[in-house]
Amino acid sequence: MSRKKGQEKIFEIKWKTDLPYRYSIGKLAVKFFEELKKNKKIYGSKCPKCGKVNFPPRAVCADCFVEMTLSDMVELPPKGTLEGFTVVNYPFVDPQTGGMRPFPYGYALLKLDGADTYTMHFVNETDYTKLKVGQRVEAVFKEEREGNMGDIPYFKVIKEEE
Amino acid sequence: MDHFEGINFSEMWCGIESAPGYLKPVVKVATGGTTGSSLAICGYYNVASGIYKNILVIGWEKLNEGGATTGIITAFDPVWERPSLAGALGPLALMAGMYSAKYGITPEQAAKVTVKNRSNAANNPFAHLQMPNITIDYVMSSQMISYPLRLHDVCPQSEGACAIIYANEEETKKITDNPAWVKSVATSHYYTFGTDDKMYDLPTATMASKKVYKKAGIKDPIRDLDVAEIYEPTSWSELAWTEALGFAEPGQGGKLLDEGITQMSGELPVNPSGGVLSTNPIGATALVRVAEAAIQVMGRGEKRQIPDVETALAMGFGGSLWTELLILGKEKLR
């Protein structure tokens, strides 16, 4: 908590605490993380009725309400396009860690090639003048993967031959 | 809201024991940014249903304790969204950039929204930010906090509260001969992941506005509404969401402002109170929209009063990209 000019110093008690809880991610996400960890592959889910390809994979088509199963999962390339971007340049406590989220950082809404839905992720560019809508990006994989989203720490900006 | 302040029982700050809630039924409603409009709609349902004759609805926020950005992140998907999500402002910045790229809306047009709303706030003694001499240059030279959002393109964090009395027809006669009547309400959701919606075309605002206009007999919102209090967390949001509410065609929100239609003297003034850009105690913010709409209908707006208001729109917007709307009027809905 910040102290404003003219305010007297306040008495503070600071602590960090673990808040563990279980969250069921579903069968499709389990397959996604297994493939990510073992094979560096990205899987989405394709609606068997309308053909919409979802990334992140989801178990029910938001348009048709049709359930998707493991056999509806499709591999997607690690490349995609920025639909929107920003450079986050303000301080806040990250509930994932209990500490401050490092900033500035590139943050984007992107679509993988072959996917019909968007995802949000980090981008390795903190100069907003160097980003544009339509910018091509590619997933960067960690060498030692653990089966979580940290295995793709960010998407990197790429240039491609026309 | 407990979620933002990180404690339980935050209503105790409102002094429920000493307030009129003592020994009476108390119901707590918290739906994020829409909390105030959810409260307003629940208040309406409670009285219109005949269950209660008279109720007091209170919304509040004490953001100096706790952290809204941190609280908002915890409300999103822990696997796919929390790692990169930067509270509300990150997605609102994405939205502003996409809206600008798609329709050629300029930072100057966005800055004009801040200038309009904060100039209006100077007529509202309850507004948090009092910046009567604010200029477009001042907004456009403020710090870039999340491109394209500059410091003065976004709402402040405020502490404050708002209360509205709801009463049935008979009780209303005992209180005032000049009430504001609730004519219609609507809530719309559309969401699985936050990324399903690019937000500048806010589908829930379009869905809710169609419902609420139909029920209140509004065919052309610019002609049939006299004032609108909309929920604009950023300057860009007001431009985009006036389109989503049907005030202008997609991409024409900037033109709507440039033509002066949403100014105090325009055909449909938007946010004479100064809006969210001037005052944002989150749990009260959407209730303030409803209270300000009621103030306009009752003609009690003093320096911020729009002449001859018959019908007013109030909007709430929340983190799961949902919209709630109320239409208030001088006349009862027949």
Side-chain angles (χ1 to χ4, degrees):
Chain A
M1 261 156 271
S2 64
R3 190 151 55 98
K4 296 189 182 79
K5 264 184 209 163
Q7 279 184 341
E8 60 183 292
K9 187 168 165 45
I10 51 174
F11 178 73
E12 280 187 322
I13 302 171
K14 287 189 177 178
W15 75 97
K16 282 189 187 180
T17 183
D18 290 325
L19 291 170
Y21 57 92
R22 287 164 183 251
Y23 178 79
S24 173
I25 55 173
K27 281 182 288 191
L28 275 63
V30 169
K31 163 131 174 131
F32 168 84
F33 284 111
E34 282 174 351
E35 289 287 343
L36 178 63
K37 184 179 176 183
K38 286 184 201 151
N39 305 319
K40 263 196 210 181
K41 285 183 173 168
I42 298 176
Y43 271 77
S45 61
K46 183 174 180 177
C47 172
K49 191 176 171 197
C50 71
K52 184 173 178 178
V53 177
N54 296 277
F55 180 76
R58 64 182 81 178
V60 175
C61 177
D63 297 330
C64 309
F65 304 116
V66 169
E67 189 177 349
M68 287 172 272
T69 62
L70 290 176
S71 63
D72 295 312
M73 292 193 76
V74 291
E75 190 186 341
L76 295 168
K79 289 184 181 178
T81 304
L82 296 191
E83 177 70 15
F85 65 89
T86 187
V87 176
V88 172
N89 190 28
Y90 51 93
F92 58 91
V93 173
D94 186 344
Q96 305 281 93
T97 63
M100 299 303 285
R101 171 89 52 91
F103 75 99
Y105 69 85
Y107 169 61
L109 186 68
L110 61 95
K111 187 146 90 171
L112 288 182
D113 295 348
D116 296 307
T117 62
Y118 300 93
T119 190
M120 60 175 80
H121 214 300
F122 296 101
V123 178
N124 72 333
E125 179 56 73
T126 55
D127 180 353
Y128 62 82
T129 64
K130 291 187 178 155
L131 293 170
K132 61 180 195 307
V133 171
Q135 173 68 53
R136 296 288 290 159
V137 291
E138 183 173 2
V140 170
F141 297 92
K142 272 206 317 211
E143 280 313 309
E144 301 281 318
R145 290 179 303 283
E146 296 161 33
N148 59 48
M149 275 317 276
D151 291 347
I152 303 177
Y154 57 87
F155 280 76
K156 67 174 178 187
V157 170
I158 53 168
K159 278 191 181 136
E160 283 175 330
E161 303 289 322
E162 287 295 315
Chain B
M1 244 176 297
D2 298 357
H3 196 55
F4 293 159
E5 278 101 8
I7 65 154
N8 222 346
F9 268 136
S10 65
E11 63 269 32
M12 298 314 286
W13 287 335
C14 272
I16 290 297
E17 283 202 331
S18 53
Y22 184 56
L23 291 182
K24 290 184 181 161
V26 174
V27 173
K28 185 162 151 181
V29 177
T31 62
T34 36
T35 293
S37 47
S38 300
L39 285 165
I41 290 174
C42 290
Y44 165 65
Y45 286 155
N46 269 296
V47 173
S49 64
I51 296 172
Y52 297 109
K53 289 192 264 185
N54 252 327
I55 67 167
L56 183 67
V57 170
I58 312 172
W60 68 89
E61 197 72 64
K62 200 169 177 231
L63 279 178
N64 196 37
E65 298 183 19
T69 296
T70 307
I72 286 167
I73 294 169
T74 62
F76 280 74
D77 189 284
V79 176
W80 306 107
E81 298 179 333
R82 278 186 215 170
S84 59
L85 190 78
L89 281 185
L92 287 163
L94 294 180
M95 168 224 156
M98 290 185 278
Y99 177 58
S100 167
K102 176 151 185 179
Y103 294 118
I105 302 285
T106 64
E108 192 163 5
Q109 283 172 310
K112 270 171 91 170
V113 174
T114 303
V115 171
K116 169 178 76 73
N117 290 0
R118 295 209 179 142
S119 301
N120 292 352
N123 293 323
N124 177 4
F126 301 105
H128 171 192
L129 295 182
Q130 293 291 335
M131 307 173 83
N133 302 316
I134 191 166
T135 63
I136 290 174
D137 283 347
Y138 181 78
V139 176
M140 289 181 69
S141 58
S142 60
Q143 191 195 345
M144 187 70 81
I145 57 168
S146 196
Y147 174 83
L149 301 180
R150 292 181 183 274
L151 180 64
H152 292 297
D153 283 316
V154 307
C155 55
Q157 292 200 330
S158 310
E159 303 207 344
C162 175
I164 298 181
I165 296 169
Y166 284 77
N168 69 15
E169 194 166 354
E170 200 176 310
E171 294 292 318
T172 298
K173 284 177 194 157
K174 297 180 198 168
I175 301 169
T176 176
D177 53 8
N178 180 31
W181 296 93
V182 179
K183 299 187 90 162
S184 63
V185 302
T187 295
S188 283
H189 298 255
Y190 165 89
Y191 178 90
T192 301
F193 289 130
T195 48
D196 286 349
D197 189 337
K198 294 180 201 161
M199 283 210 289
Y200 60 78
D201 55 353
L202 198 63
T204 55
T206 305
M207 290 182 230
S209 63
K210 282 182 180 161
K211 285 192 261 186
V212 85
Y213 295 160
K214 191 175 176 195
K215 281 190 264 184
I218 285 163
K219 295 194 173 67
D220 174 356
I222 295 279
R223 189 194 63 204
D224 298 340
L225 294 174
D226 300 308
V227 64
E229 278 287 335
I230 79 162
Y231 197 111
E232 56 1 328
T234 71
S235 52
W236 299 80
S237 310
E238 180 172 310
L239 296 175
W241 297 349
T242 47
E243 297 167 15
L245 292 167
F247 300 175
E249 292 297 313
Q252 301 297 307
K255 193 169 160 237
L256 188 79
L257 177 74
D258 288 341
E259 289 174 351
I261 291 167
T262 55
Q263 298 281 359
M264 284 298 278
S265 56
E267 203 177 344
L268 178 56
V270 171
N271 291 337
S273 67
V276 185
L277 278 169
S278 304
T279 315
N280 185 34
I282 304 175
T285 298
L287 193 62
V288 172
R289 308 276 73 72
V290 182
E292 286 288 337
I295 283 169
Q296 291 288 342
V297 167
M298 293 189 284
R300 290 164 59 176
E302 299 181 351
K303 279 166 76 184
R304 65 189 184 285
Q305 180 67 42
I306 306 296
D308 307 319
V309 172
E310 296 280 334
T311 310
L313 175 76
M315 172 187 181
F317 163 76
S320 50
L321 314 184
W322 62 331
T323 301
E324 293 185 317
L325 297 173
L326 294 91
I327 289 184
L328 308 183
K330 239 183 171 49
E331 301 297 323
K332 270 187 298 176
L333 192 65
R334 276 159 293 162

